[in-house]
Protein backbone atom coordinates (compact mmCIF):
# COMPACT_ATOMS: atom_id res chain seq x y z
CA UNK A 1 0.00 0.00 0.00
CA UNK A 2 1.82 3.04 -1.28
CA UNK A 3 0.82 5.90 1.05
CA UNK A 4 -0.37 8.05 -1.87
CA UNK A 5 -2.85 5.30 -2.92
CA UNK A 6 -3.77 4.30 0.63
CA UNK A 7 -7.39 5.53 0.47
CA UNK A 8 -7.96 3.68 -2.83
CA UNK A 9 -6.61 0.45 -1.30
CA UNK A 10 -8.81 0.76 1.80
CA UNK A 11 -11.88 1.51 -0.33
CA UNK A 12 -11.21 -1.56 -2.48
CA UNK A 13 -10.58 -3.77 0.58
CA UNK A 14 -13.87 -2.62 2.12
CA UNK A 15 -15.77 -3.43 -1.09
CA UNK A 16 -14.02 -6.78 -1.38
CA UNK A 17 -14.84 -7.87 2.16
CA UNK A 18 -18.53 -7.15 1.49
CA UNK A 19 -18.57 -9.30 -1.65
CA UNK A 20 -16.14 -12.13 -0.92
CA UNK A 21 -15.74 -14.36 2.11
CA UNK A 22 -12.01 -14.14 2.57
CA UNK A 23 -9.38 -13.01 4.99
CA UNK A 24 -8.03 -9.58 4.17
CA UNK A 25 -5.08 -7.92 5.83
CA UNK A 26 -3.83 -4.46 4.92
CA UNK A 27 -0.04 -4.58 4.87
CA UNK A 28 2.50 -1.79 4.97
CA UNK A 29 4.79 -1.58 1.99
CA UNK A 30 8.56 -1.46 2.40
CA UNK A 31 10.82 0.50 0.08
CA UNK A 32 12.78 -1.84 -2.17
CA UNK A 33 10.19 -4.65 -1.93
CA UNK A 34 10.33 -6.65 -5.15
CA UNK A 35 13.42 -4.79 -6.31
CA UNK A 36 16.18 -6.67 -4.53
CA UNK A 37 16.52 -5.04 -1.14
CA UNK A 38 13.96 -4.04 1.46
CA UNK A 39 15.15 -0.95 3.27
CA UNK A 40 12.51 0.83 5.35
CA UNK A 41 8.76 1.04 5.69
CA UNK A 42 7.03 3.75 3.69
CA UNK A 43 6.06 6.74 5.84
CA UNK A 44 2.44 6.20 6.88
CA UNK A 45 0.44 8.57 9.04
CA UNK A 46 -0.64 7.47 12.52
CA UNK A 47 -4.20 7.15 11.18
CA UNK A 48 -3.05 4.93 8.29
CA UNK A 49 -1.06 2.74 10.70
CA UNK A 50 -4.16 2.42 12.91
CA UNK A 51 -6.34 1.44 9.95
CA UNK A 52 -3.85 -1.24 8.80
CA UNK A 53 -3.48 -2.65 12.30
CA UNK A 54 -7.23 -2.91 12.94
CA UNK A 55 -8.63 -3.81 9.52
CA UNK A 56 -10.08 -7.30 9.28
CA UNK A 57 -12.03 -9.14 6.61
CA UNK A 58 -14.92 -11.38 7.56
CA UNK A 59 -13.23 -14.37 9.24
CA UNK A 60 -16.20 -14.88 11.59
CA UNK A 61 -18.13 -16.35 8.64
CA UNK A 62 -15.57 -19.07 7.99
CA UNK A 63 -14.43 -22.16 9.79
CA UNK A 64 -10.74 -22.26 8.94
CA UNK A 65 -7.94 -24.13 10.69
CA UNK A 66 -5.58 -22.01 12.75
CA UNK A 67 -3.22 -20.12 10.52
CA UNK A 68 0.51 -20.84 10.51
CA UNK A 69 0.85 -17.05 10.63
CA UNK A 70 -0.50 -16.99 14.21
CA UNK A 71 2.26 -16.80 16.79
CA UNK A 72 2.57 -16.80 20.55
CA UNK A 73 5.02 -13.98 21.23
CA UNK A 74 6.87 -14.00 24.53
CA UNK A 75 8.56 -10.75 25.53
CA UNK A 76 11.71 -10.37 27.65
CA UNK A 77 9.57 -9.17 30.58
CA UNK A 78 7.64 -12.48 30.55
CA UNK A 79 4.47 -11.08 28.98
CA UNK A 80 2.95 -13.21 26.20
CA UNK A 81 0.69 -12.10 23.39
CA UNK A 82 -1.02 -13.87 20.48
CA UNK A 83 -0.09 -12.09 17.24
CA UNK A 84 0.02 -12.88 13.55
CA UNK A 85 2.92 -12.30 11.25
CA UNK A 86 0.77 -9.53 9.75
CA UNK A 87 0.53 -7.87 13.19
CA UNK A 88 4.31 -8.05 13.61
CA UNK A 89 4.89 -6.39 10.24
CA UNK A 90 2.18 -3.74 10.71
CA UNK A 91 3.52 -2.87 14.19
CA UNK A 92 7.13 -2.77 12.97
CA UNK A 93 8.12 -5.58 15.37
CA UNK A 94 10.35 -7.51 12.99
CA UNK A 95 13.77 -6.15 13.89
CA UNK A 96 15.19 -9.13 15.78
CA UNK A 97 18.70 -8.57 17.09
CA UNK A 98 20.96 -11.53 17.81
CA UNK A 99 18.72 -14.11 16.09
CA UNK A 100 19.63 -16.53 13.30
CA UNK A 101 17.20 -17.37 10.51
CA UNK A 102 17.15 -20.82 8.98
CA UNK A 103 13.99 -20.37 6.89
CA UNK A 104 13.99 -22.78 3.97
CA UNK A 105 17.04 -24.76 5.09
CA UNK A 106 14.99 -27.69 6.34
CA UNK A 107 13.16 -27.80 3.00
CA UNK A 108 16.40 -28.35 1.10
CA UNK A 109 17.37 -31.49 3.03
Amino acid sequence: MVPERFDDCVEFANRLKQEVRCSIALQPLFEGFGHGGITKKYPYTAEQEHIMKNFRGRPELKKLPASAADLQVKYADGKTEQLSTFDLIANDQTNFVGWDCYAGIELSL
Side-chain angles (χ1 to χ4, degrees):
M1 295 181 49
V2 178
E4 296 81 35
R5 300 293 311 266
F6 188 88
D7 293 338
D8 296 333
C9 292
V10 172
E11 179 185 335
F12 179 76
N14 279 315
R15 281 189 301 149
L16 186 64
K17 81 176 184 179
Q18 296 305 316
E19 297 174 16
V20 180
R21 291 183 182 175
C22 62
S23 294
I24 303 170
L26 302 180
Q27 299 297 305
L29 186 62
F30 287 79
E31 293 180 20
F33 181 77
H35 301 290
I38 294 175
T39 54
K40 62 181 180 176
K41 187 165 53 169
Y42 275 90
Y44 296 100
T45 66
E47 180 182 358
Q48 290 172 332
E49 293 277 0
H50 178 77
I51 290 169
M52 283 189 283
K53 182 178 178 182
N54 294 298
F55 186 92
R56 296 292 181 262
R58 299 189 317 178
E60 70 280 355
L61 298 176
K62 297 182 283 184
K63 298 205 182 318
L64 297 174
S67 171
D70 290 333
L71 307 167
Q72 175 113 23
V73 177
K74 186 172 184 178
Y75 297 95
D77 66 1
K79 180 182 130 193
T80 60
E81 187 174 20
Q82 188 76 23
L83 296 173
S84 72
T85 53
F86 303 121
D87 294 326
L88 293 173
I89 293 169
N91 294 324
D92 200 23
Q93 293 177 292
T94 56
N95 298 319
F96 302 106
V97 177
W99 288 51
D100 294 322
C101 177
Y102 300 101
I105 291 176
E106 61 276 354
L107 297 176
S108 65
L109 299 176

